[in-house]
Amino acid sequence: MAEAWRYYWFQAQVDATTMVNGLIYFIRRLPILGKKIPTKLYRMGAVKSLIAIIMSCLMFMMKPLIAMLLLAMDFLVANAYNDFIHPLPTTFTFRTMVAVTIYTLGGLLFRGLVFRYIPVDLKAIKLADYFVLDRLALARGLTRIQQVIGIVLGPFLPFFGLTMITQNYWILFVGLGVSVFSWFWRGFIPRLTWSNHRLGMIAQILYWCGLVGVPIALVLSGKLTPFVTGLFSPIGLIICWIGVFGLWWYQHRFSNDIPLLMASIQQSVITLNKVAATQKQQFLATGTAMQKKLTLDTTVSVKVNQRLGNNYLNALLFARYRSQLWKKLRTRVLWISGIGISGLILLKLFAIHSVGDLTPIYGALFFVMYLASLGGPIVQLLFVNCDSAMLFYPFYRQPKAVLSGFFYRFWRIVQYNAVTGALIYGLLLALQLVTPVPDHLNFYLVLLLEVCGMVLFFSFHDLFIYYLLQPFTEDMEVVSPLYRILYWAMYWVAWVFTQVHLSGYTYALAIGVITCIYVVAGTIVIYRVAPKTFRIRY
C-alpha cells in the first residue's frame, strides 16, 4: 500500500506540472502578452509541488461534496416518488434511507458498466510509458488508491454525517456495505469472465436484470416502503456484507491476476491510441475523410487560359472535390428542405390563420446557418489536401499568392453557402402561401439583409481565422490555443442566439450590419497580416 501511495503522489505531481506548464505555454502563445512571459517560469519546481498538494486536497474535498450533491438530488427523487407515485412516511430518517438507497443504486449501475477487462486509468498508462515505469505495479497501485478514496471520501463521510443526524446506524453500515460491494463488483466480474466466460455472462445478466427489474417492480407495486425498511435492518446488513466478503474472497483467491491485468492494460492502450487519434484529428477529421474518399477522375480539368498560377491550383482542387462538396451541400439542402416543407404542410393542415410576430426567428436562423455552413469543412479540405504540402514552398507564401488564394477561396465558399441561404429565405418566403405574415414587406427585407450577412460571415469567418492563425503543423496537430478558443466560441455564440428571444427588427439589422462590417474589417486585416502569419506551425 505504501508503494501505491507513492505512485499516487508521483502522478499528482506530474498532473500539477503538466497543468502549470500548459498554462504557461498557453499564455506565451497569446499575442502581445505572450512575449512578456519568461521561460524561467517552467523551472518553478517548488511551486508545482505546492500546486500538486493543493490539487490533491481539492480533489479530496470534492469527493464528499459531489456525494452530498448527489444525495440532495436523491432526496428530490424521493419527494417526487411521494408526490406522484406512492405516498412515503414523512419522517426525515425514512426519507434519508430512501435517498441512500437511490444513491447506492446509482453506484451499482455506474460501476456495473464493466464486463471483460479491469478498468485501468488511461493517465496511468501514459504516465508509465513516459517515465518507463512498471505498468502492472502502477495500474494495480492506482486502482487500490482509487478504491480507498472512492469509498472513504465518497459515501463514507456523507453517510456518517446522516447517521449522526438521524441516529440510525443502519444508514452507515448498510449504505457503506452496498457501496463497497459496487466497488468490488467492478474487479470481480472481469475475473469471473476471464476464468469462465459463460458463467461471467450469466452473472452479468442476473446483475443487470436485478438492478433494472427490482426498481421497476417497486415502482409499479408501490412496495418501496417495506423494501427500504428491510434493507436497513440486520438482515439487509448481513446480506450485503456477505456479498462483499464473497467478492473479496474470490478476488483474493484468483490465480490469473497478472495475465488479466496485462490484457486490461493492453485494451486500455488500444483505447488510449484511439482517443489520441480522435483528438489529433478533431479539427481536420472532415478534410481527412474527404481525402480518403477522393478517386482519380481524368475528366476533371481546368482551362489554363481561365486561371493562372495559384488560382489555377485552387480551381483544380475545388474541381476535384466538386462531387464531395456538392454531396455535403445536398445533404444540408435535403435536411433543411425536409424540415421546412414539413413545417409548411403542418401549418396548412391545421389551418393556422396567423403565425404572429416572426421576428424572434432571426436569432434561431444564425444557429441554423452555422450548422449548415460549408466554411469549416472546406478549410479542413484546403489544409489537408493542399496547404500542408504547398506552404513549404516560398513562392506559395508570397503576399500576392496568399491574398489571391484567400479571395478565390472565399468566393467559392460563398457560392456554396449562398445555396443554403437562398433555400432558407425561399422557405420563409413560401410561408406567405400558407398563412399571412404580419408586416411581411419589412420582415422579408430585413430577413434578406440578415441572410446575406450570414452567408458572407460564415463563408469568411473560418477562412479568416485559418489564414490569420494557421494553427496546424505538418503532422495535422493544432498548436494554437487561440484557434481552439475561437473555434468552440463560435459554436457557443451561435447557440446563445437561439436562447436570447428578442423581437423586432433591430436585432436582425444588427446581425446583418455587424457581419458585413466584420467581413470588411477582416478583409483589411487579411490584406495586411495574412502574408506574415500563413505559415506551417511547429
Side-chain angles (χ1 to χ4, degrees), residues 95-111:
R95 294 294 176 90
T96 301
M97 290 191 295
V98 174
V100 171
T101 302
I102 298 172
Y103 177 90
T104 53
L105 175 63
L108 291 169
L109 290 170
F110 177 73
R111 297 183 188 98

Side-chain angles (χ1 to χ4, degrees), residues 12-71:
Q13 288 180 306
V14 172
D15 290 343
T17 302
T18 303
M19 185 193 71
V20 175
N21 289 346
L23 181 62
I24 297 172
Y25 177 82
F26 172 78
I27 297 175
R28 283 176 55 80
R29 289 283 178 175
L30 294 177
I32 302 175
L33 179 62
K35 297 179 181 179
K36 299 180 180 179
I37 304 299
T39 57
K40 66 179 182 180
L41 294 179
Y42 286 113
R43 300 189 294 271
M44 300 185 304
V47 174
K48 294 173 184 177
S49 297
L50 177 62
I51 293 176
I53 296 174
I54 295 174
M55 289 176 59
S56 298
C57 293
L58 290 176
M59 189 275 294
F60 291 153
M61 294 171 60
M62 286 300 296
K63 289 285 185 180
L65 289 176
I66 293 174
M68 287 189 286
L69 178 62
L70 292 175
L71 280 168

Side-chain angles (χ1 to χ4, degrees), residues 357-430:
D357 184 15
L358 281 176
T359 54
I361 202 174
Y362 290 138
L365 290 179
F366 192 87
F367 187 70
V368 173
M369 197 65 197
Y370 165 79
L371 296 177
S373 173
L374 279 174
I378 289 179
V379 165
Q380 296 184 28
L381 167 70
L382 294 173
F383 180 79
V384 172
N385 299 279
C386 182
D387 297 341
S388 60
M390 296 303 297
L391 280 174
F392 288 100
Y393 296 96
F395 76 88
Y396 195 76
R397 303 194 302 268
Q398 295 297 317
K400 184 178 180 181
V402 171
L403 295 174
S404 64
F406 175 85
F407 290 114
Y408 177 81
R409 293 169 171 184
F410 171 56
W411 172 241
R412 294 304 298 266
I413 298 173
V414 167
Q415 290 177 330
Y416 284 105
N417 284 340
V419 176
T420 307
L423 175 63
I424 293 174
Y425 188 80
L427 289 171
L428 289 173
L429 195 62

